[in-house]
Amino acid sequence: MIDVLDAAAHLSGIDAVAALDEYPWLGAAIDADVVARRFAEWGASTVIDENIDAAVISREVFDSLHDRAGLSAQWPVGNAGVLHVYGYLLSKVETPYGLKRARWMNGSLAAAYGLPTDAFVPWASSRTLLERASESARSLLSRAECIRRTSGATLALDRSSRSGDWALVYVVDGLLVTTFPVASVEQILADWDADPERLRWNAVR
């Protein structure tokens, strides 16, 4: 599976438009998301990762993804659904937490949601990855075991069992920003309670 993503990421570095056309779980999926207006559920995010202070995808990939989604965006700020879902699939940039694509591929986030481990593998379903991620995040928001709200932002955490990773969902002004797995919630909740504005997970308001 990783070989497929590596090939797509490599092609996107040469010709981002060609990469979107080559892989149906990229271009065709984005087309379906546009028709269903799914990007409207997601807020704004910067492509500059706060942990490494660098872009996780190139300007060309950023522009090509937003063009395909029919969205105007001014580098480095774009649609969080575009960036955190499809952009992360094409990212080859290492962060302190590994590759951004890992959340969709390694099964830990899916397991935290109580789903099969391949639930977020892009080509494992006829439904787009954005559709699956959005649905899962919205469902978690309605049942979250831990939830914090302040200044229009919402942090929600839940997990499917008493052990294993938690699924984190972050929302700003009612719009999804990100979801990813966390091993423990104690430090995140402590940091949030101390200074919620510091924990933005690349959101832009």
Side-chain angles (χ1 to χ4, degrees):
M1 293 193 300
I2 297 302
D3 289 345
V4 176
L5 284 184
D6 285 342
H10 177 73
L11 180 56
S12 73
I14 300 170
D15 187 336
V17 173
L20 297 183
D21 289 336
E22 176 72 17
Y23 299 95
W25 43 269
L26 282 173
I30 292 171
D31 296 342
D33 292 330
V34 170
V35 172
R37 299 182 58 82
R38 294 188 187 107
F39 293 111
E41 289 189 76
W42 292 75
S45 175
T46 176
V47 75
I48 307 298
D49 182 75
E50 59 193 10
N51 294 294
I52 60 174
D53 195 29
V56 296
I57 56 174
S58 70
R59 176 69 179 271
E60 182 189 4
V61 172
F62 176 97
D63 289 340
S64 296
L65 287 170
H66 284 90
D67 287 347
R68 187 74 179 237
L71 299 171
S72 60
Q74 186 170 355
W75 174 272
V77 177
N79 179 272
V82 169
L83 298 176
H84 292 200
V85 176
Y86 299 111
Y88 283 2
L89 291 177
L90 298 174
S91 177
K92 298 181 290 184
V93 176
E94 288 281 355
T95 76
Y97 303 100
L99 291 172
K100 292 290 194 178
R101 70 174 70 157
R103 69 188 61 182
W104 306 124
M105 300 300 296
N106 66 15
S108 60
L109 180 59
Y113 275 112
L115 301 171
T117 56
D118 67 347
F120 296 130
V121 172
W123 49 86
S125 171
S126 59
R127 303 169 69 207
T128 75
L129 176 54
L130 187 73
E131 180 181 4
R132 287 172 271 159
S134 301
E135 179 182 85
S136 296
R138 291 296 185 192
S139 177
L140 184 147
L141 287 166
S142 70
R143 68 172 194 275
E145 181 175 332
C146 296
I147 195 159
R148 298 285 193 277
R149 293 187 176 91
T150 185
S151 303
T154 299
L155 168 68
L157 297 124
D158 199 83
R159 62 180 175 181
S160 62
S161 66
R162 292 185 177 273
S163 61
D165 287 343
W166 294 70
L168 180 151
V169 174
Y170 184 57
V171 174
V172 173
D173 297 331
L175 298 175
L176 297 169
V177 173
T178 193
T179 181
F180 56 89
V182 294
S184 174
V185 301
E186 284 80 6
Q187 189 60 54
I188 287 176
L189 292 177
D191 290 345
W192 177 275
D193 292 339
D195 184 7
E197 292 302 315
R198 190 176 69 82
L199 296 178
R200 302 184 66 85
W201 291 291
N202 300 325
V204 175
R205 300 179 70 179

